[in-house]
Amino acid sequence: MGSGPSASSPVDRPRPGTDQTGRVSGGLQASVAARIPGAAALGLVVPPSAPLVPATLLADREWTAQVIASRAGATGDRRVAATVWWYSTSAVLLTPSLAGLATGVPLSGRLADTSLVFRPDGLPVAAVCAARADDVAAELRKTLTAVVTAVAAAGRMRVRPLWAIATDSIANQLLAIGRALGNVPAGTALAEPLATAIGAPLPVPRYVDVAGARFTRRASCCLVEELPAGARCTSCPRRPPGERRALLEQAARWF
C-alpha cells in the first residue's frame, strides 16, 4: 500500500478549530470495553501512550485529502486510495457507538466526542469516545454525512459507494461484537433498526447464514484487490454467488 505517511504526515498534525477541546478521555468507553472479550482487537482499547487524532479532522476536506493523497502512490488512483482508507476508517470510527448499543451503554456518535489512533501508514487502529449518546442514529447520520463528503471529495468519486461501505462496516462490526459477546443473533439484530434510523442513502445491512455461521452480505467492494499486492475478499460482491458461497462454507469452519 505504499510507504504511507511519514512522521510529519497529516495524521500527526491536528488543525486548529476542529470543534474538539482536548484529548478525549476513555473512561466511559472503558466500561463498555470491559464487557466485551477481545475488546482491544476490536479497536476499543487505546494504548496509554498512543497519540490521539481528533475525529473532527475526518470531516476536514484539506486534512482528509492530504491523508488520502499520501496513500495514493501505490495505485496512482485516488478513488482506490479513498475507498480502501474509508473501508478501514469507517469500521474503527463506528465501533465505539456500536459497542455501546450492544452493551446497553450508549456512546456518542459525534465526531467532537471521538478520537482515533493511526498507524504510521495512515490507517486507524482504535477509537475512543468520551460521551454518552443523546440520539446515536442522528449523531451517526451527521458524522457519516460529514466524513463521506470529505472522503468523496478527496477521492474524486460519488458518495453512494462510500455510504455502502459504511453499511458493511456497521454490519461487520456488530457481527464481530456479537461473536465476542457469544450472542451473534443479538448483535446482528441491531443493524437493520440502526441503519433505518440513520436513513438514506445508507443501505440496510444484510447477513447470510452459511454452514451454521453468519456473515455480512456485502453491499460494497472495498477495492483492496486493486492494490498492487491486493486480493479479492472472500465475501466480495463481485464474486459469482456460487463461488462466494463455497468460500464462505470454508470460512465457516473457523466459527
Side-chain angles (χ1 to χ4, degrees), residues 24-195:
V24 169
S25 168
L28 181 62
Q29 183 168 309
S31 68
V32 172
R35 304 179 187 201
I36 303 176
L42 292 170
L44 290 167
V45 179
V46 174
S49 60
L52 294 177
V53 173
T56 48
L57 286 177
L58 302 180
D60 184 306
R61 292 195 182 194
E62 179 182 345
W63 183 90
T64 299
Q66 289 176 10
V67 173
I68 290 172
S70 73
R71 296 183 49 79
T75 65
D77 189 328
R78 293 176 69 98
R79 179 183 66 92
V80 172
T83 302
V84 172
W85 186 80
W86 178 234
Y87 183 73
S88 295
T89 301
S90 59
V92 173
L93 175 65
L94 296 170
T95 294
S97 293
L98 300 178
L101 284 176
T103 57
V105 182
L107 292 176
S108 172
R110 297 178 65 241
L111 291 174
D113 296 327
T114 309
S115 286
L116 293 87
V117 174
F118 285 85
R119 299 187 328 200
D121 65 358
L123 292 180
V125 295
V128 59
C129 175
R132 288 184 176 270
D134 294 320
D135 182 337
V136 70
E139 291 161 3
L140 288 178
R141 178 176 180 80
K142 184 175 180 180
T143 285
L144 289 171
T145 299
V147 182
V148 162
T149 299
V151 176
R156 300 166 187 166
M157 60 186 295
R158 297 180 301 114
V159 299
R160 285 194 176 272
L162 300 174
W163 280 97
I165 284 175
T167 282
D168 288 343
S169 290
I170 289 172
N172 285 335
Q173 295 307 95
L174 284 173
L175 176 58
I177 292 166
R179 285 173 178 159
L181 292 171
N183 194 338
V184 166
T188 56
L190 297 168
E192 182 175 349
L194 175 62

Side-chain angles (χ1 to χ4, degrees), residues 9-23:
S9 74
V11 297
D12 298 315
R13 298 198 305 271
R15 292 163 58 87
T18 54
D19 191 31
Q20 191 172 53
T21 57
R23 182 182 179 93

